[in-house]
Amino acid sequence: AKKLGRNNFQFYTPTMNDEAQERVRIESALRSALERNEFVLHYQPQVNLATGQVVGMEALIRWQHPELGVVAPDRFISVAEETGLIVPIGAWVMRTACAQNKAWQDAGLGMLRVAVNLSARQFGAANLLADISDVLARTGLAPSLLEIELTESLFMSDVTLAVELLHSMKSLGVNLSIDDFGTGYSSLSYLSRFPIDVLKIDRSFVSDITRDANDAAIVASIIALAHNLKLSVIAEGVETAEQLDYLRRHGCDEMQGYYFSRPLAASAFEELLRQHKSL
Ligand code: C2E
Ligand code: CA
Ligand code: CA
Ligand code: CA
């Protein structure tokens, strides 16, 4: 039992204790994972619906654990965020994704966009802008080929500061996209104030478009909203031909999902580019 105050004890159940211990264990493991270079990026293709061509990819982190094997981000990103380790991990992701994209470009595999996920902790970090411009300078990747995926929650704590930061990021020449669009508690008013390029429709809406009339209406509305605001729109989590057909009919610009490809290790992604796989 932990003493909180006079006559006030809080008893931890065994499961809470386990969870707390698990977090401490993950935190120290994450630190050594960074040092030992155990993180890898997988890349999931993003396909233009009008041409069927691969136009970009999202970089998604995995942890190649010596004993556990491949650990998915859902198991460690939240601990990384809470402990602040997401800042150096995120910097590694940005560096690696940009360097890989430039290498593919130099190998003649095309001018593709690479998208990276930015967490709230990174958004608030003092050296974010310097880090991004440093990575672009070091790798030689054109800024327009880097896309940064942000979630709506990043904007909510201090809207004025967020507008300022986004404009500074935009001035570096990178693209900004709103991830998981439609799932956050946000107001539509920010869309006109923020220098956003892309809306990314959340998988939760896409997965039910052929079964749920409300989700179908929401997806059609997001596509129309994006286009009215002169933004581009991509659907994530596309798994079936029916979903794809619906998105096409409603003029969605791009898709990403298992229907075309799962996230792939760099070597497999490169193979897909060499074979000019298209939709
Ligand atoms: P997200 O940014 O929404 O990424 C999309 C997730 O959906 C990925 O899961 C991807 O593998 C999965 N996905 C893609 N297509 C389909 C599909 O057709 N069906 C289904 N069921 N799933 C699909 P993943 O790679 O496990 O990543 C989970 C989350 O972890 C990401 O969600 C993102 O929030 C976070 N994450 C991944 N990499 C990074 C990173 O480098 N930095 C940060 N801050 N977060 C990351
Ligand atoms: Ca994402
Ligand atoms: Ca998502
Ligand atoms: Ca997400």
Side-chain angles (χ1 to χ4, degrees):
K2 181 183 174 189
K3 197 171 185 196
L4 293 174
R6 205 155 57 96
N7 301 328
N8 187 355
F9 290 89
Q10 182 181 324
F11 291 94
Y12 287 105
T13 63
T15 56
M16 283 171 75
N17 208 340
D18 286 351
E19 256 174 51
Q21 281 178 9
E22 169 85 352
R23 293 184 107 55
V24 172
R25 214 179 46 73
I26 295 175
E27 180 183 352
S28 70
L30 283 174
R31 280 186 203 285
S32 59
L34 252 181
E35 286 161 15
R36 295 182 199 159
N37 241 317
E38 290 172 2
F39 294 113
V40 290
L41 294 182
H42 282 195
Y43 298 90
Q44 188 175 34
Q46 300 180 327
V47 183
N48 181 298
L49 288 180
T51 65
Q53 301 298 309
V54 175
V55 289
M57 60 267 183
E58 179 176 6
L60 294 156
I61 196 169
R62 272 95 183 92
W63 179 5
Q64 191 68 58
H65 192 282
E67 284 122 43
L68 301 175
V70 178
V71 183
D74 291 337
R75 298 221 6 236
F76 63 87
I77 287 289
S78 64
V79 179
E81 275 169 359
E82 283 160 28
T83 55
L85 280 171
I86 193 68
V87 174
I89 293 173
W92 176 86
V93 169
M94 184 108 52
R95 231 173 25 243
T96 307
C98 289
Q100 178 65 82
N101 193 23
K102 183 62 163 61
W104 282 329
Q105 190 188 316
D106 290 347
L109 295 170
M111 302 268 282
L112 305 172
R113 252 187 297 114
V114 66
V116 298
N117 293 283
L118 199 81
S119 86
R121 267 309 251 280
Q122 290 173 274
F123 191 65
N127 43 2
L128 175 66
L129 289 169
D131 281 356
I132 299 172
S133 63
D134 190 59
V135 163
L136 292 169
R138 278 169 194 269
T139 59
L141 185 72
S144 61
L145 298 182
L146 173 62
E147 186 162 294
I148 296 181
E149 297 194 357
L150 312 137
T151 53
E152 293 160 289
S153 60
L154 300 195
F155 311 149
M156 293 306 113
S157 56
D158 187 339
V159 176
T160 315
L161 183 70
V163 171
E164 224 172 87
L165 248 174
L166 292 176
H167 276 285
S168 316
M169 288 167 79
K170 252 335 275 181
S171 67
L172 297 175
V174 301
N175 296 297
L176 302 178
S177 111
I178 301 186
D179 204 358
D180 303 341
F181 185 74
T183 61
Y185 295 95
S186 59
S187 119
L188 290 180
S189 65
Y190 73 74
L191 282 177
S192 58
R193 295 182 56 197
F194 289 179
I196 297 296
D197 304 285
V198 182
L199 296 186
K200 196 162 187 186
I201 306 173
D202 191 60
R203 178 167 88 232
S204 60
F205 299 117
V206 175
S207 62
D208 273 344
I209 42 179
T210 55
R211 286 187 302 244
D212 182 328
N214 289 329
D215 283 351
I218 289 170
V219 167
S221 304
I222 295 175
I223 295 169
L225 173 71
H227 289 162
N228 286 333
L229 291 168
K230 309 260 184 293
L231 307 177
S232 153
V233 59
I234 178 165
E236 70 173 11
V238 180
E239 294 183 352
T240 69
E242 290 74 24
Q243 292 164 354
L244 179 68
D245 180 58
Y246 183 90
L247 293 163
R248 267 217 178 98
R249 279 190 286 113
H250 288 82
C252 189
D253 301 298
E254 293 177 17
M255 68 78 85
Q256 176 182 341
Y258 294 172
Y259 180 74
F260 183 75
S261 170
R262 288 183 174 256
L264 302 169
S267 56
F269 188 88
E270 185 170 327
E271 191 52 34
L272 175 142
L273 292 179
R274 290 195 187 282
Q275 292 172 353
H276 300 286
K277 182 179 172 182
S278 63
L279 196 61

